[in-house]
Amino acid sequence: MPPNPIFSGLWIALGALSMVFHIGLIFYGLVPNLVARPLHMALILPWVFLFAAKSRAGWWSGLGLTGVGVLGCLWIAFNHTMLRDQYGFLENAFQVALALALLGIAMEGARRMIGWPLPLVALCALLYGLYGQHIPGEFGHAGTPLASFLGTLVIAEGGLWGSLTGVSVGVVAIFVIFGAVLNAGEAGQGFMNVASAAAGRLTGGAAKVSVLSSALFGSISGSASANVASTGAITLPAMTKLGYPKRLAAAVEAVASSGGQIMPPLMGAGAFVMVELTGVPYTQIMLAALPPAILYFLTVWMGINAYAQRFDLQSVPEDERPNRRMVLITSAFFLVPFTVLLVAMFALGFTPQYAAVLAIITGGAALFFDATLRMNIGQGIARSGTAMIAIGQQVAMIAAIIICASIIIGVLGITGLGIKITSVILSGSGGALWPALLLTALACLLLGMEVPTTAAYVICVSVAGPALTQLGLEPLQAHLFVFWFALLSTITPPVCGAVFIAAGMIGENWLKVALTAMALGLGLYIIPLSMIANPALLRLGSDTGGAVLAFAMIGTGLSFLSYALIGRASLWRRALLTVAGGAACFAGAAFF
């Protein structure tokens, strides 16, 4: 929050406006895309350039960028009817200047929120679109007139206002609001209490509390970094107090927190992007993504058990575990809204957006009650203000990433570069599936080191997804495979964001933490490949028996592999466990 408290009320009001706008779109009826999407961008710009400003110079420059950007977005929204008749062709110098300004502001906004890598990729894409006709060979393109190229990106729905931005406006923002409302109340403590009660008494209990709480919190936060910073503030001191090695404590938190991005319902906005890109209903994506996500956390759990053979991993002392009454009360603060969400979607057949609104209302009412179930109006108002600021920040963060990534996707579509890269993957793999998967995985890992997971997934799946589906994968299989491997860089050196944060919080060498995290997070490397070898794993909704069988086989295999890598055993036993684990994880490969 800005240091001057006089601005607090203004930011709360702006966050409330963002909430009302995004929820209102669900009830307004059909709003033209060239109205809703520019207004979405206009609402995030103050948060990107002013709220997040780190210096006075940054604030003043941000004020100018915000003014230009907001006015430009409003101009497009008010003139959407005229612009629709231009069919993506800019008609005068003012429109060209506006297009250049909005593209620059979109890239600068992403830079201020997440750093240079993604904006640089977007800038390279723009330069390719403008000058790629001079590149010889198959990677050149025929060229596009400047007015048409910029117009498609800015006054049509082929760039800034494309389908990805539509996902940010219509779905992602709603679930971000839901998460912010929950976290402003007792839900966060409820997550910790449930985890402590469920796992605190077990061997390695403090580490397992971290796993469960990160899974629960991550299911709504969808951010590895946010997960480490929030749950880690509690779990890391608890583990070090009980004598856990620092590298192990930090690795547990980093690996568990990374799993939040693959845990339904939010999946770091990935689930909603998949809806748009695949056309698969959201509920079906949730059902498909749930078994692999549970397998991931199961693997971490088994890894902790294996480490318990090497270290004295104690349970949480009984006097530090919450009593049953406190667990029941605090868990209701997230269980009731989640129940409303799931019942509305699966039992009543409401859309995810409408179901989320009902859950937001339920969570908002819970802000006015404390852990003793007494109503506290003053506390509820204060929590509501906190929620409004969190809404503004978090919607802006995701929107800045998605809008910048939309530039890249727009250029791929205009120039046909995506099709060319797809053909390279097909030819480089010799038309075989598994070499194509390995090439795609490498691309995901490299790109994920530089850009956030969701953006890396969007870019990779845009170029590699068609190749994988041509080689026989179902669209959802291909998308989940790419999404999981886009997450690798959270724990894999040399760039591993979740590891850096956890290591910094506990004061340990990041490389030691990363190596331990890779061993604990073995499932992140194996499960995406197992999805391909055992496609039944993703068919929980249509083939429940096959999905359960695949789940059991892969879970057993991952347990064997985890003990072979981490546990104390002789060399021949490790070899036997490795062979048995690999066979169980990839048993279906021969039939696919």
Side-chain angles (χ1 to χ4, degrees), residues 1 49 56 71 78 120 138 140 182 213 222 250 273 293 330 354 361-362 375 421 433 453 475 495 523 536 571 575 579:
M1 186 179 295
F49 291 112
R56 183 174 295 275
L71 290 174
F78 282 118
L120 284 178
E138 64 176 314
L182 279 191
S213 60
V273 177
T330 55
Y354 192 84
I361 294 171
T362 307
M375 179 177 283
I421 297 177
L433 175 61
T453 302
V495 180
L571 185 60
V579 172

Side-chain angles (χ1 to χ4, degrees), residues 456-495:
Y457 152 68
V458 168
I459 297 168
C460 279
V461 86
S462 297
V463 296
L468 297 181
T469 53
Q470 285 184 45
L471 292 172
L473 292 190
E474 298 173 1
L476 188 54
Q477 254 187 313
H479 280 253
L480 283 172
F481 175 85
V482 172
F483 186 74
W484 272 65
F485 270 115
L487 186 62
L488 282 184
S489 62
T490 60
I491 62 171
T492 307
V495 180

Side-chain angles (χ1 to χ4, degrees), residues 9 14 100 112 116 146 174 195 202 217 247 252 273 283 297 340 362 373 386 436 447 459 553 568 577:
L14 192 57
L100 291 172
R112 294 204 183 190
W116 281 102
L146 179 65
I174 300 300
L202 304 176
F217 181 81
R247 66 179 180 87
V252 167
V273 177
T283 50
F297 286 103
V340 170
T362 307
L373 293 184
T386 301
L447 187 61
I459 297 168
M553 291 176 59
R568 282 184 172 176
L577 286 170

